[in-house]
Amino acid sequence: MSIRVRDDTQSANLSRRGFLRASVAAGGGLLIAFSLPSRLVDARETIEAESFSPDGFIRIDPYGRVTVIVPQVEMGQGTFTSCPMLIAEELEVALSEIQTEQAPPDGALYSNSLIGSQVTGGSTSIRAFYEPLRKAGATAREMLIAAAATTWSVEPSSCRAESGNVIHEPSGRKLGYGALAEKAAMVPVPEEVALKEPSAFKLIGTPAKRLDTPDKVNGKTIYGIDAKVPGMKIATLAICPVFGGKLKGVDASKALQIKNVLQVVQTADTVAVVATNMGAAKKGLAALEIEWDAGPNAKLTTSDIVADMAKASEADGVLVRHEGDVPKALEDASQTLEAIYEVPFLAHTTMEPLNCTVHVREEGCDIWVGTQVIGRAQAVAAELTGLPPEKVVVHNHMLGGGFGRRLEVDFIAKAVEIAKQVDGPVKLIWSREEDIQHDLYRPSFYDRLHAGLDSDGMPVAWSHRICGSSVIARWASPAFKDGYDFDTVDGALEMPYAIPNVRLQYVRHEPPGIPTGFWRSVGPSHNIFVVESFIDECAAAANKDPLEYRRALLAKAPRALAVLELAAEKAGWGEKLPERSGRGIAVQNVFASFMAQVAEVEVSKSGEANVKRVTCAVDCGVVINPNTIEAQVQSAIVYGLSAALFDEITLKDGRVEQSNFHDYRALHMNEMPSIDIHIVKSDEAPGGMGEPGTSALVPAVFNAVYAATGVRLRRPPLKADHLKV
Amino acid sequence: MRVLLTAFGAGLMVLAAGIGLSLANPETGGNALKPVSAFSEITDESERSAAIFTEAGKVIQHPRCLNCHPAGNRPTQGEDRHPHIPLVLRGAGGFGEVGMQCPTCHQRANVDLAGVPGHPLWHLAPIEMAWQGKSLGEICVQIKDPERNGGMSLEDLIHHMSEDSLVGWGWNPGKGRSPAPGTQEQFGALIKAWVETGAACPDL
Amino acid sequence: MGEAMTFKIKVNDVEHEVDVDSDIPLLWVLRDVLGMTGTKFGCGRALCGACTVHVNGMPMRSCVMPVGDLGESSVTTIEAIGDTPIGEELQKAWLDLEVVQCGYCQSGQIMSAAALLASTPEPTDHDIDTAMAGNICRCGTYVRIREAIKQVAQTSQGD
């Protein structure tokens, strides 16, 4: 089984509408394809049928080899297995027989319907492609059956598909997909195909082996940073350390004397050293004498930013949700609670540092990169080179982590700007320091919460005012409407609890100069922490068990209630724990998946929190690959733990203070809790799984710390100073 | 500079400590050592001896030295002496546990481009030489005790403090790390004078 | 430091001559000069373990190791670790247990695990924690890495 990340040229003819097509291969070969990648389409006689989009996912060659063109990128989340599984299920081929190929930039064919463009992010891959990919598989299957039926002059209904063959049941005749491919390509594309009932699934729901991993254990997989282009040079960069600052001047004389250093390149806010290897480039960079013009943010500190947000959050924001009469309910309440919650800026730190290889020529531009947004990559290069987009060829690669960082094209733009000044191809690699200090950060937020409890201690009024940056306003500006966007309030808007009077407001406040971006679990990374911490405060104020309290509020949210109860049961909720140990719980409904987590935390007398165990129950609807779901939950929990325990990006004099993994930590093996994951069987539509584990983890840990110590902390990360005895 | 890493085969390589990654204050103030002559006015020899040791203590209790003399099994690092990140443990002979031995990260010399300190024999002081959490007086008594100083006589101690190149690393800790006060020569002179004045210790 | 000369280095039993300064880290010689990209860059400061190779069998962060210090030492990288019984079993266990997510750190993880098992065939959880503490995985594959190491330990025991 091998995986090939598509690395060929894309034809200029990309604007063609997405059609379900069957085609005959050039040179008399046999082939059936649904909307072939356009490069191939041009070379083939095509039979275009009714519009059916998105498609373009399957190619079967004369030998019966099935290639799935995967519309979403692989950054660890398993799309290169789950997407083929959806096709294989309906096409009736073994998953192990499938080869995968990364889709080229073609928004018409490969657009993610939940995002509206060719983007991988937001835990949408399965949600967006669950139906289209199964339909593509089923359509191909029906056409192969029709081709076989014609060959044998029998009724299609007397034939069935199995393991890459069509079988005529009464006669026992059998033809492989390869042998049928050419004929199948001539079969009219059926307008309607029946999809399997979930009860008939043979592959979906089983722990299928991943297709992308064999070459990831022997060093063969080529990530963007591994791209090899003949004549390629290697560069590394320094960007003005102050956001919004510029490059004033640079003395490159010493750097240019270093062996294997070739060139020093400048752009408005960046200087790059070009060499034959990264070691020499780094050495050259260290030898530069650089003068920066720090610009307007030269004095910026984290405390200024927080103070500005605190002030901005005093005024009413855009009313996002309002039910009942919150002011009156607060007035009538037996007890009221107020709290301020904050979250810090966070960096992504994908294991593969940012990089991009570019070859700019007069007539065209090639880009070798790992990106979540292949179309945007093409567009930004076209804009910067002045070339038409079709002259920009993007070779996408496996991604060494994304987490939202590779939804941005800043590092592609930087590479193009530098490559324009370099003769031949150049690979730009960011140091980890630049990667951390010039990220687009998970925004910092400053939220005001206000709750009113009735005489039983149950919440009758809930007011939540969010204040902070809108990533959507920059990244997808049309989706920023009426002063707010769906992402910034996600998790707060549809909290599952039944509270009669609810008010949610959003105050957009952009920090000066600091770029913000999507980060794993996106809006909920902030909102679930706030909501699940504050509801815990309400329970404490009511002297009620946090589990019972939530349970009482979830009577009308059965899926949320079910995961809550399952996680609590499996975690041994209520069982006695040693002193300064506690359990915390959190429940959520985000990314169309329901999840609850219970964290068990022990806090030492010196205030160090040790997360010993995390129990998670998840209902993500139909399960495609339980192995991947478990992996994604483990992954998201670890990502959340780093944020809960260690991480924040802070600024001093306009500069990010953190620089590498010693001061922007990632959880290590020796800091791992045990993790138990329980998947609820469900026939609901599939939900997202990449993100949810992160947002649920942080409040579960903070609530556990409260249970262990009685100290309510309202701003991650945990600080030992606040918890020591 | 071409060096054979013979130590790999011989298993002499040792556990790293004090990967001083803190980039703050590479040159801290008050970084001088008083010469021995500065103590000549103290007439009582024992008092003078203790005063000299107290001066030498500025080196002994400097982060460059303390970081590798932890009381537990995990070295500290940085000016603030936080636990070494990532986790490394003493291991057999102070050379680190399997898989995370000193030279896995620490090279034969400082690697300034990476900010990683190095020495051919980078390793953790034995547990009996633990200094962290102790007063200077306690360290003084400990340093004289052959049971807790690696079996050294006072004469051996003078040579060790004056000449040992791993001790000397404290004054050559690489970019971004504050060096121990004074010079190794001055430190050695203080230790010698302390021994010669009776090796008296400051109050516990 | 940094004097320029031509070095002979032995990587996966093959001798190469490289023309770089002596202080250039081995990582970049492997990746950019020899084109062996299985060994990964993650931090440049021996903080993440992605660049781990073996030098005379000992795990080494190649991002901080000056190539000039190699001398006659023998370097083994992820490209050749599968030729050793332990490396082969680890790669198999990694796939059996579906350890890998993005996969970027896994070269380093496998190299560290191989070094651990070479000297500690039956590692305890403590042994695994300490030997693997220097290898960061941002995908958080630690649970399965631990299981995979244990699987290999058990398999080998049964041999």
Side-chain angles (χ1 to χ4, degrees):
Chain A
M1 179 67 251
S2 75
I3 299 293
R4 194 162 69 88
V5 172
R6 191 182 174 84
D7 186 16
D8 53 12
T9 50
Q10 296 105 32
S11 119
N13 194 357
L14 293 172
S15 57
R16 159 194 315 266
R17 283 173 68 202
F19 286 109
L20 180 62
R21 310 177 181 105
S23 316
V24 181
L30 305 170
L31 185 141
I32 177 169
F34 292 84
S35 290
L36 288 164
S38 31
R39 179 178 69 90
L40 303 173
V41 169
D42 287 341
R44 291 172 185 141
E45 180 192 344
T46 62
I47 302 161
E48 297 192 349
E50 288 303 294
S51 169
F52 179 84
S53 181
D55 47 29
F57 306 118
I58 304 167
R59 189 166 65 239
I60 302 176
D61 76 7
Y63 305 101
R65 286 182 298 214
V66 179
T67 302
V68 168
I69 294 99
V70 185
Q72 298 278 277
V73 304
E74 176 63 70
M75 46 192 172
Q77 81 283 40
T79 45
F80 267 49
T81 309
S82 55
C83 288
M85 281 175 81
L86 298 174
I87 285 175
E89 178 71 60
E90 295 287 351
L91 185 57
E92 300 291 353
V93 289
L95 188 62
S96 56
E97 298 300 314
I98 286 182
Q99 314 228 4
T100 53
E101 203 171 278
Q102 176 76 71
D106 187 338
L109 288 180
Y110 301 115
S111 179
N112 175 325
S113 60
L114 289 179
I115 299 178
S117 56
Q118 196 175 348
V119 171
T120 307
S123 292
T124 57
S125 294
I126 293 299
R127 286 188 281 162
F129 287 97
Y130 182 58
E131 281 226 357
L133 292 183
R134 285 189 301 140
K135 269 186 187 160
T139 304
R141 180 193 70 217
E142 291 309 311
M143 292 168 76
L144 288 156
I145 288 175
T150 307
T151 306
W152 296 322
S153 301
V154 299
E155 278 301 308
S157 59
S158 63
C159 304
R160 65 183 171 86
E162 186 185 296
S163 304
N165 295 290
V166 177
I167 298 162
H168 181 238
E169 203 73 60
S171 64
R173 278 175 294 184
K174 187 163 144 180
L175 275 172
Y177 285 179
L180 290 166
E182 184 176 23
K183 201 170 267 182
M186 304 300 179
V187 170
V189 178
E191 286 186 22
E192 293 282 330
V193 289
L195 297 180
K196 285 185 185 173
E197 286 301 316
S199 57
F201 287 158
K202 287 183 283 194
L203 182 59
I204 293 175
T206 64
K209 300 303 278 182
R210 282 179 69 136
L211 301 181
D212 61 318
T213 49
D215 282 350
K216 288 179 172 178
V217 299
N218 58 22
K220 279 191 191 148
T221 291
I222 301 294
Y223 299 85
I225 203 169
D226 304 324
K228 287 186 201 102
V229 184
M232 179 179 75
K233 296 162 182 169
I234 312 276
T236 193
L237 83 178
I239 306 171
C240 181
V242 180
F243 293 109
K246 301 281 173 214
L247 177 64
K248 203 164 169 185
V250 59
D251 179 352
S253 51
K254 282 183 201 152
L256 289 167
Q257 285 167 19
I258 291 168
K259 186 180 175 74
N260 293 328
V261 167
L262 303 170
Q263 187 183 353
V264 174
V265 175
Q266 303 179 30
T267 71
D269 64 354
T270 298
V271 54
V273 175
V274 183
T276 64
N277 70 74
M278 179 68 170
K282 285 182 100 169
K283 226 175 131 178
L285 198 73
L288 292 177
E289 284 169 30
I290 309 171
E291 204 182 338
W292 302 108
D293 170 3
N297 298 317
K299 293 284 168 220
L300 196 63
T301 67
T302 306
S303 55
D304 296 337
I305 294 166
V306 174
D308 282 353
M309 279 199 299
K311 192 147 187 292
S313 72
E314 284 170 7
D316 276 331
V318 174
L319 198 57
V320 181
R321 176 182 174 189
H322 194 195
E323 286 159 24
D325 187 340
V326 169
K328 182 168 185 306
L330 282 170
E331 207 179 291
D332 296 346
S334 303
Q335 188 183 353
T336 61
L337 285 81
E338 277 187 84
I340 288 166
Y341 279 84
E342 287 179 60
V343 297
F345 293 110
L346 290 171
H348 298 80
T349 59
T350 56
M351 280 314 296
E352 180 192 6
L354 295 177
N355 65 87
C356 181
T357 304
V358 182
H359 189 189
V360 179
R361 302 172 309 280
E362 209 158 291
E363 75 289 357
C365 172
D366 279 81
I367 303 208
W368 296 263
V369 71
T371 175
Q372 294 173 251
V373 285
I374 193 166
R376 285 184 180 214
Q378 188 182 45
V380 73
E383 191 188 318
L384 289 169
T385 55
L387 290 163
E390 63 269 20
K391 296 286 181 194
V392 175
V393 180
V394 182
H395 311 262
N396 208 5
H397 290 70
M398 289 286 177
L399 281 68
F403 314 125
R405 183 62 181 92
R406 290 186 162 95
L407 285 168
E408 305 292 345
V409 293
D410 59 313
F411 61 100
I412 298 170
K414 280 243 176 286
V416 172
E417 285 179 324
I418 288 159
K420 280 167 73 178
Q421 304 179 53
V422 176
D423 188 22
V426 60
K427 182 193 288 180
L428 179 69
I429 304 173
W430 294 37
S431 65
R432 178 60 67 190
E433 286 76 9
E434 292 293 335
D435 179 287
I436 287 179
Q437 298 182 339
H438 290 92
D439 201 340
L440 292 96
Y441 304 96
R442 194 284 300 276
S444 177
F445 284 97
Y446 192 97
D447 289 13
R448 291 177 185 272
L449 279 295
H450 203 168
L453 311 185
D454 65 16
S455 54
D456 283 338
M458 298 312 289
V460 287
W462 178 277
S463 171
H464 182 180
R465 188 186 295 153
I466 297 168
C467 179
S469 167
S470 165
V471 180
I472 291 281
R474 171 185 61 82
W475 196 87
S477 48
F480 185 77
K481 277 190 265 189
D482 308 323
Y484 85 102
D485 68 74
F486 61 89
D487 170 54
T488 310
V489 299
D490 193 8
L493 179 62
E494 291 171 6
M495 58 171 184
Y497 302 120
I499 300 173
N501 302 285
V502 176
R503 182 174 62 191
L504 176 66
Q505 300 177 77
Y506 174 52
V507 180
R508 185 183 174 199
H509 182 80
E510 296 296 333
I514 301 164
T516 58
F518 301 118
W519 186 91
R520 193 172 196 170
S521 84
V522 220
S525 79
H526 140 242
N527 288 319
I528 299 299
F529 167 66
V530 173
V531 168
E532 282 303 287
S533 295
F534 195 55
I535 202 78
D536 224 61
E537 289 203 62
C538 293
N543 275 320
K544 293 195 174 173
D545 175 77
L547 168 66
E548 293 307 325
Y549 198 75
R550 285 175 173 81
R551 192 182 266 160
L553 293 168
L554 291 173
K556 288 179 184 161
R559 292 178 77 190
L561 183 62
V563 291
L564 180 83
E565 292 186 331
L566 181 60
E569 181 209 322
K570 298 290 184 186
W573 186 267
E575 284 169 23
K576 200 165 161 45
L577 288 172
E579 208 187 335
R580 284 181 73 78
S581 289
R583 289 189 193 89
I585 195 162
V587 62
Q588 64 181 22
N589 168 23
V590 289
F591 308 100
S593 289
F594 291 82
M595 181 182 282
Q597 288 186 24
V598 176
E600 189 182 313
V601 177
E602 180 184 67
V603 183
S604 71
K605 286 191 170 155
S606 56
E608 310 288 341
N610 176 12
V611 181
K612 302 185 80 166
R613 183 179 168 205
V614 177
T615 309
C616 177
V618 59
D619 168 2
C620 59
V622 168
V623 168
I624 311 303
N625 187 342
N627 219 331
T628 306
I629 287 172
E630 187 193 78
Q632 282 302 292
V633 175
Q634 288 174 352
S635 172
I637 285 172
V638 173
Y639 207 76
L641 281 167
S642 298
L645 300 176
F646 308 125
D647 289 332
E648 59 184 318
I649 289 292
T650 57
L651 286 103
K652 192 182 173 198
D653 295 334
R655 295 160 190 245
V656 168
E657 295 185 278
Q658 293 71 30
S659 64
N660 209 317
F661 286 120
H662 64 295
D663 56 9
Y664 193 86
R665 293 281 320 278
L667 197 83
H668 290 155
M669 169 74 90
N670 55 295
E671 295 158 332
M672 273 295 286
S674 68
I675 299 177
D676 307 312
I677 296 158
H678 304 276
I679 302 172
V680 174
K681 196 166 161 45
S682 168
D683 289 332
E684 300 283 344
M689 274 319 300
E691 331 261 359
T694 299
S695 52
L697 181 280
V698 183
V701 167
F702 274 63
N703 291 339
V705 166
Y706 173 77
T709 63
V711 178
R712 173 64 61 184
L713 295 178
R714 300 187 183 89
R715 183 189 187 282
L718 291 174
K719 298 251 165 88
D721 280 352
H722 297 139
L723 297 172
K724 64 185 174 196
V725 183
Chain B
M1 190 191 95
R2 191 175 184 192
V3 189
L4 268 174
L5 284 187
T6 49
F8 282 150
L12 286 171
M13 285 298 186
V14 287
L15 183 87
I19 184 177
L21 284 160
S22 166
L23 294 173
N25 305 320
E27 303 293 330
T28 50
N31 208 20
L33 282 181
K34 287 182 196 162
V36 175
S37 58
F39 300 90
S40 57
E41 282 172 21
I42 305 175
T43 48
D44 182 281
E45 190 176 60
S46 176
E47 265 179 48
R48 187 160 76 245
S49 187
I52 290 169
F53 190 84
T54 301
E55 185 65 12
K58 288 182 185 170
V59 171
I60 290 166
Q61 292 191 301
H62 189 274
R64 291 296 77 73
C65 302
L66 277 191
N67 277 337
C68 297
H69 285 256
N73 287 327
R74 186 176 186 176
T76 54
Q77 63 185 167
E79 307 302 317
D80 62 353
R81 296 197 276 116
H82 59 268
H84 189 285
I85 297 169
L87 174 75
V88 286
L89 296 175
R90 182 178 297 280
F95 298 154
E97 297 221 19
V98 167
M100 284 289 274
Q101 288 162 295
C102 290
T104 288
C105 301
H106 295 274
Q107 305 300 313
R108 301 176 57 82
N110 299 328
V111 177
D112 280 346
L113 262 183
V116 179
H119 181 276
L121 290 175
W122 194 263
H123 72 291
L124 205 54
I127 187 70
E128 62 271 20
M129 297 187 198
W131 291 346
Q132 290 189 13
K134 288 182 179 152
S135 71
L136 189 60
E138 289 170 325
I139 294 172
C140 179
V141 173
Q142 178 180 2
I143 256 176
K144 291 196 291 183
D145 179 0
E147 295 285 305
R148 294 187 290 157
N149 76 0
M152 280 188 278
S153 67
L154 290 176
E155 196 59 32
D156 294 337
L157 204 57
I158 294 170
H159 287 295
H160 177 71
M161 296 300 205
S162 324
E163 292 157 22
D164 183 86
S165 66
L166 184 55
V167 172
W169 173 88
W171 289 273
N172 174 33
K175 203 173 142 192
R177 226 168 269 110
S178 71
T183 65
Q184 186 172 17
E185 195 184 353
Q186 289 167 351
F187 176 62
L190 286 169
I191 294 294
K192 184 164 185 281
W194 168 65
V195 169
E196 287 169 357
T197 50
C201 286
D203 290 342
L204 291 178
Chain C
M1 287 282 286
E3 64 193 77
M5 58 183 287
T6 302
F7 293 94
K8 278 206 178 92
I9 63 170
K10 197 160 93 181
V11 181
N12 300 335
D13 287 329
V14 178
E15 277 214 351
H16 301 269
E17 203 164 289
V18 296
D19 183 20
V20 294
D21 279 351
S22 60
D23 61 349
I24 296 298
L26 172 61
L27 172 67
W28 303 113
V29 175
L30 292 173
R31 291 182 53 85
D32 295 343
V33 181
L34 303 181
M36 300 170 68
T37 53
T39 304
K40 302 303 187 197
F41 164 55
C43 71
R45 298 184 68 173
L47 292 166
C48 79
C51 67
T52 305
V53 299
H54 294 178
V55 175
N56 292 346
M58 171 182 256
M60 174 69 74
R61 306 292 187 244
S62 65
C63 75
V64 293
M65 182 177 196
V67 67
D69 282 4
L70 266 180
E72 307 290 317
S73 302
S74 176
V75 178
T76 307
T77 70
I78 186 69
E79 284 90 350
I81 198 69
D83 297 341
T84 67
I86 288 173
E88 189 186 0
E89 283 182 40
L90 281 167
Q91 287 170 336
K92 183 177 173 298
W94 247 240
L95 296 177
D96 285 351
L97 296 176
E98 296 282 10
V99 169
V100 181
Q101 292 187 30
C102 92
Y104 191 81
C105 74
Q106 300 297 349
S107 295
Q109 303 280 0
I110 289 171
M111 294 307 286
S112 286
L116 167 68
L117 289 174
S119 58
T120 312
E122 294 172 46
T124 62
D125 278 323
H126 171 85
D127 295 334
I128 294 173
D129 275 347
T130 50
M132 304 302 291
N135 287 83
I136 291 174
C137 175
R138 274 298 256 170
C139 294
T141 61
Y142 300 125
V143 170
R144 293 184 181 179
I145 288 175
R146 185 188 301 279
E147 288 169 5
I149 291 173
K150 286 183 171 176
Q151 175 174 308
V152 174
Q154 278 162 10
T155 313
S156 310
Q157 216 182 335
D159 283 351

